[in-house]
Amino acid sequence: MIGLEISHVSYSYGSRKALDDVSFSVAAGRFCALLGPNGAGKSTLFALLTRLIVTGEGHIGVAGFDIARAPRAALARIGVVFQQPTLDLDMTVRRNLRYFAGLHGLSGRPAGLAIDAALAQLGMAERADEQVRALNGGHRRRMEIARALIHGPQILLLDEPTVGLDAASRQAITDHVHLLAERGLAVLWATHLVDEIRPADQVVVLHRGKVLSDGGAEDLAGGQGGGHGLAKAFLSMTAEGREVPA
Ligand SMILES: Nc1ncnc2c1ncn2[C@@H]1O[C@H](COP(=O)(O)OP(=O)(O)OP(=O)(O)O)[C@@H](O)[C@H]1O
């Protein structure tokens, strides 16, 4: 089943073209890394997928709903973790999530159940009554991912979710989100870090607003040992003349 479909999407800020005829899709149950250097257009694409901005060029389908024609139905099926954290540090984890559940029309026992389930999926159940301020950066991020799951989305969007985290936290979050994909979510994970990508993942390379490649991570690495092969392929596609270490 198709989770997310992006077809011939373009977007410009004034005369600057940020996305140029972008097409790819992410099926339910797939982890897709949107790999691109700074300025590639990743955040612009996320803004279009969440209707922060709109474009007349191209089509975006979310779990079968056209985001332009049926925005409410489409957005209800998306969970999103933006680059900038947006948590209330002085509330507990549960209070933060209850507030967000309310925005989705969930309250009372159904909200409590949804919050418990989401926290459990991120290994955060025992932190529910802690103040967010007391959590480390990795746990705060996991909580934001749990928050994005409360309303039962089919698509999960994460914009560079591991920025600023230490290696162990990055690993834990990457593991958790891969598990969410295995359980059926279509995951779009924007990053410029190849070590967050697994051999079975889909990788879309975005550079200067264009899709340079779309396929399996193993194929992109060209059989050259996972992360190293991927890094080489990514750099040679995007570095434009910079030396790529052997
Ligand atoms: N509000 C804006 N006004 C004008 N140009 C913008 C605006 N936002 C982004 N751009 C430009 O659009 C292009 C794509 O930027 P975008 O932020 O989408 O890339 P990105 O891949 O998310 O980069 P980063 O990893 O640095 O966040 C860049 O050339 C950027 O300078």
Side-chain angles (χ1 to χ4, degrees):
M1 190 193 103
I2 288 291
L4 181 65
E5 267 185 299
I6 296 160
S7 174
H8 302 294
V9 167
S10 297
Y11 187 82
S12 299
Y13 296 98
S15 60
R16 181 188 287 259
K17 198 150 210 172
L19 293 174
D20 187 1
D21 198 25
V22 168
S23 297
F24 65 92
S25 54
V26 184
R30 283 288 264 167
F31 182 106
C32 175
L34 180 65
L35 189 58
N38 289 335
K42 304 182 298 294
S43 297
T44 301
L45 183 60
F46 272 55
L48 287 170
L49 294 175
T50 50
R51 295 275 290 177
L52 288 175
I53 56 176
V54 295
T55 178
E57 291 179 79
H59 160 88
I60 294 171
V62 177
F65 292 96
D66 183 323
I67 203 163
R69 289 183 187 186
R72 281 165 62 122
L75 291 176
R77 285 159 180 84
I78 289 180
V80 60
V81 179
F82 287 109
Q83 242 177 55
Q84 298 299 329
T86 53
L87 301 168
D88 187 321
L89 300 181
D90 294 317
M91 286 204 250
T92 64
V93 169
R94 193 185 297 282
R95 288 285 307 269
N96 263 276
L97 297 191
R98 271 215 174 260
Y99 173 76
F100 196 77
L103 296 179
H104 284 284
L106 277 172
S107 60
R109 194 172 145 71
L113 291 173
I115 288 166
D116 288 345
L119 286 174
Q121 288 200 73
L122 272 297
M124 288 286 290
E126 72 282 8
R127 310 248 169 218
D129 297 311
E130 288 183 27
Q131 237 188 10
V132 174
R133 196 178 289 285
L135 301 179
N136 67 33
H139 286 145
R140 288 183 194 184
R141 221 55 184 140
R142 273 152 75 172
M143 184 194 143
E144 285 199 293
I145 299 170
R147 187 178 65 176
L149 299 177
I150 287 175
H151 60 296
Q154 288 164 257
I155 322 286
L156 182 61
L157 308 176
L158 306 103
D159 193 1
E160 303 194 23
T162 61
V163 164
L165 300 181
D166 63 29
S169 299
R170 288 212 300 128
Q171 174 83 48
I173 287 175
T174 313
D175 288 350
H176 276 294
V177 177
H178 275 88
L179 256 179
L180 294 173
E182 280 169 31
R183 291 180 191 145
L185 275 176
V187 172
L188 185 63
W189 170 286
T191 187
H192 57 268
L193 303 168
V194 293
D195 64 348
E196 296 177 347
I197 299 171
R198 306 254 168 93
D201 292 342
Q202 177 185 351
V203 181
V204 171
V205 178
L206 189 69
H207 184 43
R208 296 189 171 168
K210 287 181 189 283
V211 172
L212 299 188
S213 87
D214 175 9
E218 226 158 9
D219 294 338
L220 185 59
Q224 290 188 54
H228 184 63
L230 257 184
K232 255 182 108 169
F234 176 50
L235 276 178
S236 68
M237 272 188 228
T238 58
E240 291 171 356
R242 232 188 295 152
E243 288 239 336
V244 177

